[in-house]
């Protein structure tokens, strides 16, 4: 007969229930730390480490909830809270002996963050208004637009059709006016990849207007000279 077969086996229910009760309280408490960390670090997920005299704690959180709480110390690695199986009562007790130190380290971490900003004064300088630059640009480009539209109207009369382009070189730089239905579609300086003084999209930068607006008059003069040549050529024709 085998000794011990008649001996009662002690049930683990009480120990498991007690562990689960403690783990529920730890998970809830660590979850509060996780939510505060998420607020402090400004993200939905992250990891933070806290050193104590007994070891190192790692708290990982996501969506404001604790993903795991790990203790590494006293020669052991213990996942106090995790998405996997719960720790055994012995390792849990070992880790929880240092839990108060974890909370103290966490609180010090938060207080340090408060202290960083506590004495900070922030008085930014006034932001300069772009009104004057925009108004000047619109005023100059409005005059360019009026003149370019007048040129487009003349080109339509001379060339016929509904669209076309006129180009000339000014101080070695190519200027191109594209027109459609008697109005300027765009005015570009510098060929492909150049600066669009006029377009159907965004206006040019003020510096680009400053750099090229002064040569627009020479572009108009080149246009006028070409129109006069055409007129002279036609006048020379006799029927």
């Amino acid at each position: 007969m085998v000794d011990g077969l008649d001996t009662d086996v002690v049930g683990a229910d009480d120990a498991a229930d007690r562990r689960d009760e403690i783990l529920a309280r730890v998970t809830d408490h660590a979850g509060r730390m996780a939510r505060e960390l998420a607020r402090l670090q400004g993200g939905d997920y992250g990891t933070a480490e806290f050193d104590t005299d007994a070891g190192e704690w790692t708290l990982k959180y996501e969506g404001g909830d604790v993903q795991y709480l790990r203790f590494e110390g006293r020669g052991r690695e213990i996942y106090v809270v995790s998405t996997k199986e719960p720790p055994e009562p012995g390792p849990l007790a070992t880790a929880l002996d240092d839990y108060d130190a974890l909370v103290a380290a966490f609180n010090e971490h938060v207080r340090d963050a408060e202290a960083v900003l506590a004495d900070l004064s922030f008085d930014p300088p006034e932001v300069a208004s772009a009104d004057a630059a925009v108004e000047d640009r619109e005023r100059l480009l409005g005059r360019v637009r009026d003149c370019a539209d007048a040129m487009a109207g003349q080109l339509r009369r001379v060339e016929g059709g509904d669209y076309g382009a006129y180009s000339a070189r000014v101080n070695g730089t190519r200027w191109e006016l594209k027109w459609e239905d008697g109005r300027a579609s765009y005015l570009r300086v510098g060929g492909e990849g150049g600066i669009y003084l006029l377009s159907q999209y965004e206006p040019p930068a003020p510096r680009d207007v400053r750099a090229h607006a002064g040569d627009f008059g020479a572009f108009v003069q080149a246009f006028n000279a070409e129109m006069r040549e055409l007129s002279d050529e036609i006048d020379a024709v006799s029927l």
Side-chain angles (χ1 to χ4, degrees):
M1 182 175 181
V2 180
D3 292 338
L5 288 180
D6 294 330
T7 304
D8 291 337
V9 174
V10 177
D13 290 347
D14 291 344
D17 289 345
R18 178 57 177 161
R19 178 200 57 199
D20 292 345
E21 176 188 346
I22 293 174
L23 276 181
R25 295 176 60 189
V26 172
T27 302
D28 179 70
H29 193 272
R32 289 163 55 191
M33 289 192 290
R35 287 186 289 276
E36 295 304 319
L37 277 175
R39 295 178 59 200
L40 188 60
Q41 297 185 357
D44 291 332
Y45 58 90
T47 303
E49 291 81 28
F50 303 96
D51 292 324
T52 66
D53 291 340
E56 181 182 75
W57 290 82
T58 302
L59 174 61
K60 183 178 181 180
Y61 62 90
E62 182 173 349
D65 292 327
V66 57
Q67 291 297 293
Y68 69 73
L69 177 64
R70 183 180 64 212
F71 173 69
E72 294 177 90
R74 298 171 183 171
R76 311 189 69 171
E77 179 182 77
I78 303 166
Y79 281 83
V80 178
V81 177
S82 76
T83 57
K84 301 178 181 179
E85 68 276 357
E88 294 183 1
L92 176 61
T94 298
L96 292 185
D97 281 343
D98 196 54
Y99 191 80
D100 286 352
L102 162 65
V103 177
F106 173 84
N107 291 342
E108 183 178 359
H109 176 74
V110 174
R111 284 193 292 267
D112 287 346
E114 293 174 350
V116 168
L117 301 177
D119 298 329
L120 178 65
S121 61
F122 182 65
D123 186 15
E126 184 178 353
V127 176
S129 172
D131 289 348
V134 171
E135 290 172 2
D136 286 343
R137 179 181 63 190
E138 295 305 312
R139 174 179 55 81
L140 290 170
L141 290 182
R143 296 173 63 184
V144 172
R145 167 66 71 180
D146 291 342
C147 195
D149 284 345
M151 295 167 66
Q154 296 303 318
L155 288 166
R156 184 181 191 184
R157 294 178 61 196
V158 171
E159 298 182 5
D162 295 327
Y163 58 89
Y166 169 79
S167 64
R169 286 199 169 272
V170 177
N171 296 327
T173 300
R174 176 184 170 87
W175 286 63
E176 182 179 33
L177 171 65
K178 185 174 181 180
W179 57 273
E180 185 173 353
D181 294 331
R183 295 197 62 193
S185 296
Y186 69 71
L187 176 62
R188 184 175 62 197
V189 184
E192 291 291 335
I195 302 299
Y196 285 82
L197 289 182
L198 299 176
S199 78
Q200 58 182 323
Y201 303 108
E202 69 276 0
R207 291 185 182 275
D208 290 332
V209 176
R210 172 65 181 266
H212 299 292
D215 288 334
F216 179 67
F219 177 63
V220 177
Q221 289 175 358
F223 172 83
N224 291 341
E226 186 166 331
M227 292 299 103
R228 282 193 295 269
E229 289 177 6
L230 288 174
S231 178
D232 292 344
E233 290 174 2
I234 294 174
D235 287 343
V237 174
S238 61
L239 297 176

